[in-house]
């Protein structure tokens, strides 16, 4: 099992550009989430999904879109990048409500100039 | 939504001493409380967790206690070692949708 994978590892964007951060898991987990991590602020939930076709907003959803067309994939789209979106982004998955343990991907370090 | 507060933000201990990190939460519906360790440049890794129907859980040198009435939970690391140096995060999970809310982290330094 590869676990949770994320691509790319690093990305530099210019203000206004759009891009998609990829996240995939091969553990057949129902739940997937996206977080951003900023210095001194811990991890903040952006969007989450409880199954294919079901997504919902977390604490800081503005400027981001998600979709969950398959159990394995949960991409995060930045619609029009802003410097405030410079951060490290982590994707996580968990089996479901009965087993809530989350497994994190390696992260994507995004810089918006 | 849930609000998780974590203290202290930094903690230095001598090797062999104990370290305690405390968190409080606001939503009484939260029912699952994991602790993560994150080394520099790495992903968060689960080290221990506790559910709301349990008051204490121990795994070798690491233990977590939960006080549901006071809405606080703590991480205890005994006999600390230099490799315990990292940032530790607490989190609380609200049952609906399995949403996790994290504390702001504690940077633990174990001095040899």
């Amino acid at each position: 099992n590869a676990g949770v994978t994320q691509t790319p590892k690093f990305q530099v964007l210019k203000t206004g550009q759009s891009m998609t951060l990829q996240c995939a898991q091969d553990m057949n987990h129902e739940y997937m989430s996206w977080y951003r991590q900023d210095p001194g602020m811990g991890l903040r939930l952006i969007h989450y999904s409880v199954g294919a076709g079901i997504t919902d907003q977390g604490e800081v959803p503005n400027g981001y879109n998600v979709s969950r067309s398959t159990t394995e994939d949960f991409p995060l789209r930045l619609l029009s990048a802003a410097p405030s979106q410079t951060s490290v982004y982590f994707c996580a998955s968990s089996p479901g409500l009965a087993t809530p343990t989350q497994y994190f991907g390696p992260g994507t370090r995004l810089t918006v100039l | 939504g849930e609000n998780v507060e974590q203290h202290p933000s930094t903690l230095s201990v001598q090797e062999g001493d104990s370290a305690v990190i405390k968190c409080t939460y606001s939503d009484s519906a939260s029912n699952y409380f994991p602790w993560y360790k994150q080394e520099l440049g790495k992903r968060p890794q689960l080290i221990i967790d506790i559910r709301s129907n349990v008051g204490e859980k121990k795994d070798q040198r690491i233990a977590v206690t939960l006080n549901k009435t006071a809405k606080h939970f703590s991480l205890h690391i005994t006999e600390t070692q230099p490799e315990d140096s990292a940032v530790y995060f607490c989190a609380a999970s609200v049952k609906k949708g399995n949403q996790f809310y994290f504390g702001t982290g504690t940077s633990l330094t174990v001095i040899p």
Side-chain angles (χ1 to χ4, degrees):
Chain A
N1 282 357
V4 181
T5 59
Q6 291 182 239
T7 55
K9 284 186 168 50
F10 301 94
Q11 183 71 49
V12 179
L13 292 177
K14 294 181 179 178
T15 297
Q17 288 184 315
S18 62
M19 79 158 296
T20 299
L21 307 185
Q22 301 292 344
C23 174
Q25 51 92 8
D26 61 359
M27 298 175 282
N28 202 32
H29 286 174
E30 285 297 315
Y31 288 7
M32 296 186 76
S33 302
W34 274 103
Y35 297 88
R36 60 177 289 173
Q37 184 173 35
D38 302 295
M41 299 189 73
L43 292 103
R44 291 183 292 168
L45 183 64
I46 304 172
H47 286 286
Y48 65 99
S49 168
V50 299
I54 306 169
T55 64
D56 207 346
Q57 297 180 351
E59 294 176 86
V60 289
N62 292 343
Y64 308 96
N65 273 357
V66 292
S67 60
R68 183 99 180 270
S69 56
T70 67
T71 300
E72 295 78 19
D73 300 300
F74 191 43
L76 178 72
R77 295 184 192 84
L78 279 71
L79 309 172
S80 177
S84 60
Q85 293 179 304
T86 294
S87 188
V88 180
Y89 290 85
F90 287 100
C91 178
S93 73
S94 64
L97 210 53
T99 311
T101 306
Q102 280 198 323
Y103 299 86
F104 283 84
T108 294
R109 184 173 293 276
L110 175 69
T111 301
V112 182
L113 303 175
Chain B
E2 173 66 280
N3 181 44
V4 177
E5 295 190 356
Q6 182 172 347
H7 300 281
S9 56
T10 60
L11 180 60
S12 291
V13 299
Q14 292 288 334
E15 182 176 358
D17 287 350
S18 296
V20 180
I21 303 170
K22 298 183 179 182
C23 288
T24 60
Y25 63 99
S26 61
D27 191 339
S28 57
S30 292
N31 63 345
Y32 173 68
F33 306 91
W35 285 89
Y36 291 87
K37 175 183 181 182
Q38 187 178 30
E39 296 174 344
L40 192 63
K42 305 285 188 182
R43 73 189 80 185
Q45 300 260 0
L46 180 74
I47 56 171
I48 196 167
D49 55 12
I50 192 168
R51 292 180 185 256
S52 58
N53 59 349
V54 176
E56 183 173 359
K57 183 177 178 181
K58 190 174 181 180
D59 182 4
Q60 299 183 335
R61 297 187 296 109
I62 295 173
V64 57
T65 59
L66 171 65
N67 183 326
K68 283 173 54 180
T69 304
K71 296 201 190 87
H72 67 71
F73 56 114
S74 300
L75 177 71
H76 304 253
I77 306 174
T78 59
E79 301 171 23
T80 53
Q81 301 166 3
E83 50 265 39
D84 293 330
S85 297
V87 178
Y88 292 81
F89 291 97
C90 63
S93 172
V94 176
K95 185 174 181 179
K96 177 187 174 185
N98 209 218
Q99 302 168 61
F100 286 82
Y101 294 86
F102 283 78
T104 50
T106 296
S107 178
L108 173 65
T109 302
V110 180
I111 304 164

